[in-house]
Amino acid sequence: MQSETRFEYEEHFVAFIDFLGFVDAIDSASDEARTKLLTLLIALSKVQSEFMVETRATPDGVATEVAPNITTFSDNIVISYPLEKLRAKGYYSDAETPTFILDGFSKLLSWLAIAALRIGFLIRGGATIGRLFHSGGVVYGEGMVEAYRIESGISVYPRVVLSAQVAARLNWARSPRILTDIDGLKHIDYFKDIFLSPVEAPDGRTPSPQQLFDEACKAVTVSLDQLRQSRNQRAYAKWVWFSNQLAESLGRQNPAIRRQYGFRVDKLPAE
């Protein structure tokens, strides 16, 4: 009798992330556009991982790190945290969810966002809780379908919007990692730490937060100028929204950090 293969099809916190501007870059025939795309794809291939929980000793005691499942394909990324596995390891409860999922997830988004921004792209996504199979690069389930639906039809701007069912959970909605937009949608705050995320340059060096900030200001300015000239109002609106979010996030940053790295609102383009 043939044995039945058991698949771990269970509840995950799952996000679907897309890179805005990717298709337009593909349509461009310039060598610069091709170089940008290849740079992004190579960077994405390095972030693929399988779920893992690791506890290690630190000078202050112990620290626990949670690595989510990450699968990349073309300009899309699926990120998921298996809730049942976290529960089994004692790392998931209503009280601990913001610590083990939202904190790590927002930092990962900050890294993705600044890596993309440095070469002229923005990120957008949707996130929910749903059943999913996610292992060995295979992703299947209604959780991913719902996250994709949010990204493609609801998020609109370069934000990662939470589903209504997740937003209704007070322990998620009250997390300092969650923002509420003017349209009432709740999304992940990846903006505050975006310049504090270490990214590697092509020459192997790691830019300082001040360098990342200056590069971001230039990238936003250049993109807005180009889109204004091309009269691409849809893309222009997304970059204006993103620039405003960066400016607003500086007000939530530690003043000492702002002074140390020269994070100033007046360096961002005013629209």
Side-chain angles (χ1 to χ4, degrees), residues 82-109:
L83 302 186
E84 293 299 329
K85 286 188 174 66
L86 285 171
R87 288 190 184 101
K89 292 179 178 292
Y91 294 123
Y92 178 82
S93 70
D94 284 347
E96 294 173 339
T97 297
T99 299
F100 288 102
I101 296 181
L102 291 179
D103 284 8
F105 179 55
S106 65
K107 290 175 183 177
L108 177 57
L109 288 180

Side-chain angles (χ1 to χ4, degrees), residues 222-236:
V222 168
S223 293
L224 287 173
D225 288 344
Q226 291 176 343
L227 293 169
R228 190 184 299 111
Q229 292 175 16
S230 66
R231 299 183 181 180
N232 186 338
Q233 292 179 301
R234 179 173 295 183
Y236 181 79

Side-chain angles (χ1 to χ4, degrees), residues 163-191:
S163 68
Q165 63 147 312
V166 176
R169 301 187 181 196
L170 294 181
N171 57 307
W172 293 77
R174 289 175 178 171
S175 168
R177 298 291 183 175
I178 302 300
L179 302 173
T180 302
D181 216 335
I182 57 173
D183 57 6
L185 295 178
K186 295 189 181 298
H187 60 110
I188 306 293
D189 182 10
Y190 68 82
F191 310 95

